[in-house]
Amino acid sequence: MKKRKSKRQKTSIFIHVVFILFSIICVVPMITVISASLTSSTDLSFNGFSIWPSKIDTTAYAYLFENPRQIINSYMVTIFITAVGSFLSVLVMSMAAYSLSRRNFKFKGIATAYIFFPTLFSGGLVSSYIINTQYLHLTDSILVLILPGLVNVFHIFMIRTFFKQLPGELFDAAQVDGAGEWRIFFTIALRMSKPVLATVAFLGALGRWNEWYNAMLYIRSDTKYPLQYLLQRMMNSIQELINNMDKIPGGVNVAEIPGENLRMALMVVCVGPMMLVFPFFQKYFAKGMTVGALKG
């Protein structure tokens, strides 16, 4: 017994050490990014990256927030499309998944094939662009950042699998008591599926928070730029300024233009809010990813 206990303790210590080292490996790059964002471009060029800046310099953040109204407006746009898009996406996909999970749904096979078939190929950029601009008239509309990505087929099947694992007796008992499908869906199915719904919501929110491609294609007004697209345009403008310094009358002092430190500051501004949100989803995330994907 003592040998077994001693062996278990050694195994436990080994596992803890491995995970502590792995955590350090994951955390150190982010700390290095924050440190680089607080370092001057000159110090980064001569000394390279370090965990702690030799001298704190906020030039990159001062340049980034030179026009705070535009940054804040882009934050609001990104928060709006992330919150509203994630909510509508989870609602639509959970409704589809619930229908596919019900044994008494007559057209379950046809609906499953209809949902799955488009995943085998893509209609392409031209066709989606024509639909969004000519038929749906979503050009320069916030809705174009929400509606095209409202449904993810993998997430539908993930939620459906979770629904199929719920006790069917609960649904039968609710029907006997006179509950309809809508009430069963909202009061039983959704309430018992928080892990998978939270997982899908977080994955969707992560994708919408990083939205820039659709904004580049469809958004024309700078007041509707999401955060990622605005920061990308700022970085491109700085790079263009550096490339054309010799053409500017009077020249430009390169030392006054943020470089790699600005890139790191952009990363902190983009990633920071999602790092604060993740802990609220963490307790559901692992369970939702495993339980919802056990069987098809």
Side-chain angles (χ1 to χ4, degrees):
M1 290 294 292
K2 290 183 178 180
K3 290 184 178 180
R4 287 184 179 180
K5 188 175 182 180
S6 176
K7 188 176 181 180
R8 288 178 181 175
Q9 289 178 345
K10 291 180 180 178
T11 304
S12 178
I13 293 173
F14 174 77
I15 292 174
H16 280 81
V17 170
V18 170
F19 276 100
I20 289 172
L21 293 176
F22 181 75
S23 301
I24 293 173
I25 293 173
C26 293
V27 171
V28 167
M30 191 61 202
I31 296 176
T32 305
V33 168
I34 297 174
S35 172
S37 70
L38 294 172
T39 305
S40 66
S41 183
T42 305
D43 289 344
L44 277 180
S45 301
F46 284 100
N47 303 324
F49 293 89
S50 61
I51 295 179
W52 187 260
S54 56
K55 182 181 179 182
I56 295 179
D57 184 278
T58 59
T59 304
Y61 290 99
Y63 188 92
L64 188 60
F65 290 96
E66 186 177 3
N67 186 1
R69 179 177 297 179
Q70 192 172 21
I71 291 286
I72 294 173
N73 183 72
S74 295
Y75 255 118
M76 293 297 103
V77 172
T78 299
I79 291 172
F80 177 79
I81 64 174
T82 300
V84 176
S86 299
F87 173 77
L88 292 178
S89 180
V90 170
L91 179 62
V92 171
M93 291 190 296
S94 60
M95 291 170 67
Y98 176 76
S99 300
L100 298 179
S101 67
R102 298 293 285 154
R103 292 172 294 179
N104 56 355
F105 181 41
K106 296 181 181 179
F107 305 103
K108 181 169 59 176
I110 298 175
T112 301
Y114 178 79
I115 293 173
F116 176 75
F117 186 69
T119 64
L120 301 178
F121 60 90
S122 172
L125 175 61
V126 175
S127 58
S128 62
Y129 185 85
I130 292 174
I131 291 173
N132 290 329
T133 56
Q134 302 300 320
Y135 292 91
L136 300 179
H137 304 289
L138 295 177
T139 303
D140 203 28
S141 172
I142 295 294
L143 293 178
V144 78
L145 305 177
I146 298 175
L147 297 181
L150 206 60
V151 173
N152 185 306
V153 176
F154 171 73
H155 291 167
I156 290 178
F157 289 125
M158 187 174 171
I159 301 173
R160 182 203 64 173
T161 303
F162 196 97
F163 281 158
K164 291 174 70 174
Q165 295 175 2
L166 297 178
E169 294 78 8
L170 288 175
F171 299 152
D172 297 336
Q175 285 182 330
V176 171
D177 291 337
E181 293 293 347
W182 285 104
R183 187 169 184 179
I184 294 174
F185 171 70
F186 283 106
T187 60
I188 298 178
L190 290 187
R191 290 188 179 183
M192 297 185 64
S193 305
K194 289 181 181 179
V196 70
L197 295 180
T199 301
V200 169
F202 178 76
L203 294 176
L206 191 62
R208 290 177 180 84
W209 185 267
N210 293 323
E211 171 62 53
W212 66 271
Y213 186 70
N214 286 333
M216 180 185 69
L217 292 177
Y218 303 109
I219 300 299
R220 304 291 181 265
S221 305
D222 56 0
T223 56
K224 299 177 182 178
Y225 287 165
L227 181 65
Q228 297 283 0
Y229 184 55
L230 174 66
L231 298 182
Q232 185 189 53
R233 285 177 63 91
M234 292 176 62
M235 202 66 233
N236 291 338
S237 299
I238 293 171
Q239 191 61 45
E240 186 176 353
L241 178 63
I242 294 175
N243 295 337
N244 297 289
M245 284 188 304
D246 54 337
K247 301 178 182 179
I248 301 176
V252 177
N253 187 0
V254 182
E256 296 178 356
I257 303 177
E260 198 65 28
N261 58 341
L262 180 60
R263 295 179 186 272
M264 301 299 106
L266 292 176
M267 188 178 300
V268 172
V269 170
C270 293
V271 175
M274 294 307 293
M275 291 182 63
L276 297 176
V277 170
F278 179 74
F280 296 99
F281 291 87
Q282 188 176 8
K283 63 180 180 179
Y284 299 113
F285 194 74
K287 186 177 180 181
M289 288 296 292
T290 55
V291 178
L294 288 177
K295 57 183 180 179

